[in-house]
Amino acid sequence: MGKVGENFDSNQRSGGLNLLAPNEAPHTPELSLDPTDWAGLRSLGHRMLDDTLDHLEGVRSRPVWQPLPAEVAGRFNERLPQTGAGLEAAYAAFERDVRPYPSGNIHPRFWGWVIGTGTPSGMLADLLASGLNPNTGGFRQAPVLVEQQALAWCAEMLGFALDTSGLFVSGASMANLLALTVARDAHFRKLGVNVREDGVMDGALHPVYTSAETHSCNQRAVELLGLGNRQLRRVMVDSEYRLNVTALRSRLKEDLERGERPLALIGTAGTVNTGAIDPLDALADVAEEFGLWFHVDGAFGALAYLSKELRARLSGMQRADSLSFDLHKWMSLPYGVGCVLVRDARAHRQAFALTPDYLRHAERGIAAETWWASEYGPELSRGFLALKVWMELMTHGVQTYAAVIDRNVRQAQYLAQLVTQHPALELCAPVPLNIVCFRYAPDGLEAGQTDHLNEELLMRLQESGEAVLSSTQLNGQYVLRCAIVNHRSTDADFEHLVRQVEVIGETMLAELQHPHL
């Protein structure tokens, strides 16, 4: 008989109750979540896959987006199932209530926000990842090696050293948070403070500097890090919506004179409003001069580096201490996967590593792996995000992605040309990359009327199912925003967009001029 601990007997194992009679073998009823009919599951699985591929192949024949009927929405209020109806019934509910009513980002005429399109091959990679179902937080397993190789590929394709530290996360919002966590810890370490142990306790201000056009996720990051929104210093931009370096230097000097201790500088490679790229080389110089951690938020714009035609616009990005970018935007991987790269692997690990006894590494066996992803971010439980990155890069190659990005940028220029040639349309910002901001602005309208007209035009355009754009505010004006990260779009789609804006605009203008007709 095996030994029982001195203070732990068999009764204690069952809460003090001896549930088994002497010599009685334990017995539990057979129960599994596997199917009883594997052939039936295989048949249904094939149908699911065929239906999905048919849906993707025929995407152009459907509206980009359609409103959710009240009857369908009401079914999402049903109570928790107590007994299962089976996978066939669950799939029927999906086909009826879910598949017909997505946001529409897989459609060739979806250009709202900056949301990637996805690919059939990426979908299949996700299927394989789910079938294998590894926890990639650590362990000696091939999925961990896949992540390491895919991270090295990402570093190489963006001009960083192959041994750059990194991690795959859900998206650039999380990547920015992780990068700024490393920046915060490294900053306080230089001041002799262990912020992980003691927190931010010195009472001084430790500001983070960025463009007035920065993405809102950076505000959330400084809030979550305990710095607070007041310490996110938004510096004015120039006429092309790039961070003004002269204004940045002035603000830094003022803050230093007040006794503040600047922490980090965030440059943006592709602003969310207009696609502007900050002068990254100049920002790297400032960061070096003032001893700041230099982070580049490259959510979608960083991937323009893949293009030989566009690479020079990102000069200085490779000097960053950290870089965040999404792979589900301009590389069209299925949602969601982003990446953070950190030049200093030691600083990266110091910001997150925590190894209790139950996660101790071993020299042999399954825990023998020396690189644990869980020591480079906050998550111990991690899905196999890296597989779709790894497989899609092998499937398509970097040159194909570069060609897609070049094409989208040329399409943005083409749309800008269509807008400037149209007498009733107005181009509202420069088009340095892939975002076109414009509005319907016929002669004879006051500014408030033009804003209202475009707000309603956007709603009608989306509800028509012909195209999806989003909106923003530039210089106090409401503008339509076309963000192009869609590998399915053709030039004809942008011609169709302009025609639809024209038709809807003319209809609304007639309603405004003749309200009683």
Side-chain angles (χ1 to χ4, degrees):
M1 176 182 291
K3 292 182 179 180
V4 177
E6 188 174 316
N7 296 313
F8 185 76
D9 62 26
S10 56
N11 277 347
Q12 287 174 306
R13 292 179 186 271
S14 56
L17 297 177
N18 191 345
L19 301 178
L20 299 178
N23 301 320
E24 181 182 354
H27 174 73
T28 56
E30 290 187 10
L31 180 63
S32 171
L33 297 177
D34 285 336
T36 55
D37 178 8
W38 281 96
L41 177 67
R42 189 184 303 274
S43 176
L44 179 57
H46 283 301
R47 177 153 59 92
M48 289 177 172
L49 182 58
D50 286 343
D51 290 348
T52 301
L53 293 175
D54 287 345
H55 182 79
L56 291 171
E57 187 178 13
V59 65
R60 191 175 279 279
S61 65
R62 297 186 299 275
V64 183
W65 177 82
Q66 57 183 345
L68 205 67
E71 178 185 0
V72 173
R75 283 196 283 270
F76 291 100
N77 294 320
E78 294 174 359
R79 300 296 297 273
L80 172 70
Q82 297 298 320
T83 58
L87 183 57
E88 183 88 42
Y91 180 56
F94 169 83
E95 283 285 85
R96 180 191 64 206
D97 297 336
V98 180
R99 201 196 294 274
Y101 306 107
S103 64
N105 56 297
I106 65 173
H107 196 284
R109 292 196 298 275
F110 184 98
W111 307 297
W113 303 274
V114 188
I115 301 178
T117 313
T119 64
S121 52
M123 176 196 73
L124 295 175
D126 263 349
L127 174 64
L128 296 177
S130 295
L132 197 57
N133 194 33
N135 179 352
T136 61
F139 307 113
R140 185 64 178 170
Q141 54 173 332
V144 168
L145 301 181
V146 166
E147 179 153 6
Q148 289 180 284
Q149 185 172 42
L151 285 168
W153 288 350
C154 286
E156 181 182 2
M157 75 183 188
L158 293 177
F160 281 70
L162 291 178
D163 60 353
T164 300
S165 186
L167 200 67
F168 291 119
V169 291
S170 59
S173 294
M174 184 59 70
N176 285 331
L177 174 60
L178 267 60
L180 291 176
T181 301
V182 181
R184 181 199 63 178
D185 287 19
H187 168 77
F188 278 95
R189 197 175 300 114
K190 287 192 299 184
L191 299 176
V193 177
N194 183 344
V195 74
R196 291 187 63 183
E197 183 68 24
D198 300 321
V200 182
M201 301 284 287
D202 64 354
L205 293 178
H206 302 268
V208 175
Y209 300 82
T210 189
S211 157
E213 292 287 299
T214 195
H215 195 281
S216 60
C217 70
N218 290 309
Q219 175 179 331
R220 285 201 296 267
V222 297
E223 291 171 353
L224 288 167
L225 290 173
L227 300 172
N229 181 42
R230 188 161 69 94
Q231 295 198 69
L232 184 65
R233 305 292 162 79
R234 298 166 177 84
V235 180
M236 65 181 292
V237 295
D238 61 20
S239 60
E240 296 183 1
Y241 298 96
R242 302 173 304 181
L243 194 153
N244 186 307
V245 179
T246 302
L248 171 65
R249 287 182 177 276
S250 297
R251 184 62 191 267
L252 276 163
K253 291 175 182 177
E254 292 171 7
D255 291 350
L256 284 167
E257 288 172 0
R258 283 194 292 265
E260 298 182 9
R261 297 174 168 181
L263 188 158
L265 171 61
I266 304 172
T268 304
T271 60
V272 69
N273 273 338
T274 66
I277 300 171
D278 286 340
L280 300 178
D281 247 332
L283 296 188
D285 290 341
V286 172
E288 187 174 307
E289 178 184 344
F290 287 88
L292 305 176
W293 184 279
F294 182 36
H295 172 65
V296 172
D297 178 358
F300 67 90
L303 289 172
Y305 186 85
L306 304 187
S307 162
K308 293 179 181 179
E309 293 180 22
L310 303 171
R311 188 169 297 168
R313 304 183 193 184
L314 294 159
S315 176
M317 185 175 76
Q318 299 72 35
R319 297 171 63 189
D321 294 297
S322 54
L323 170 68
S324 64
F325 58 98
D326 278 318
L327 295 130
H328 54 227
K329 287 188 171 77
W330 233 344
M331 281 181 60
S332 291
L333 270 68
Y335 271 80
V337 57
C339 183
V340 60
L341 297 177
V342 180
R343 189 175 301 281
D344 186 339
R346 184 168 181 267
H348 189 183
R349 188 177 184 277
Q350 283 179 322
F352 296 103
L354 185 63
T355 309
D357 288 343
Y358 50 83
L359 293 176
R360 185 179 299 169
H361 303 183
E363 295 184 4
R364 296 169 53 200
I366 192 173
E369 181 59 45
T370 56
W371 185 84
W372 285 58
S374 60
E375 296 180 346
Y376 294 85
E379 294 180 308
L380 177 58
S381 299
R382 302 179 71 249
F384 199 1
L385 292 177
L387 184 63
K388 54 190 167 190
V389 183
W390 188 73
M391 290 189 67
E392 285 288 79
L393 282 170
M394 282 202 289
T395 299
H396 301 292
V398 170
Q399 291 182 8
T400 300
Y401 287 115
V404 168
I405 290 166
D406 280 334
R407 182 168 177 255
N408 281 168
V409 172
R410 285 194 295 270
Q411 288 171 331
Q413 293 298 325
Y414 180 56
L415 175 58
Q417 178 184 334
L418 294 175
V419 167
T420 55
Q421 291 174 349
H422 196 290
L425 298 180
E426 177 186 353
L427 188 66
C428 300
V431 184
L433 212 54
N434 63 324
I435 296 178
V436 182
C437 292
F438 69 101
R439 63 181 187 157
Y440 184 70
D443 293 336
L445 292 181
E446 298 177 0
Q449 287 180 309
T450 303
D451 281 356
H452 175 74
L453 190 71
N454 280 274
E455 286 186 56
E456 179 61 22
L457 190 156
L458 179 63
M459 295 301 99
R460 294 191 188 188
L461 178 65
Q462 291 178 357
E463 290 166 352
S464 73
E466 295 293 336
V468 167
L469 303 180
S470 55
S471 66
T472 192
Q473 292 274 339
L474 293 177
N475 298 319
Q477 295 180 332
Y478 182 96
V479 302
L480 306 177
R481 176 170 162 270
C482 181
I484 308 168
V485 288
N486 194 320
H487 64 85
R488 296 188 174 117
S489 302
T490 66
D491 289 356
D493 289 316
F494 296 101
E495 295 163 3
H496 182 79
L497 168 65
V498 170
R499 285 195 299 271
Q500 291 302 308
V501 169
E502 178 184 40
V503 168
I504 296 171
E506 289 177 350
T507 299
M508 292 182 59
L509 191 60
E511 294 171 356
L512 187 64
Q513 294 170 341
H514 306 286
H516 302 297
L517 292 181

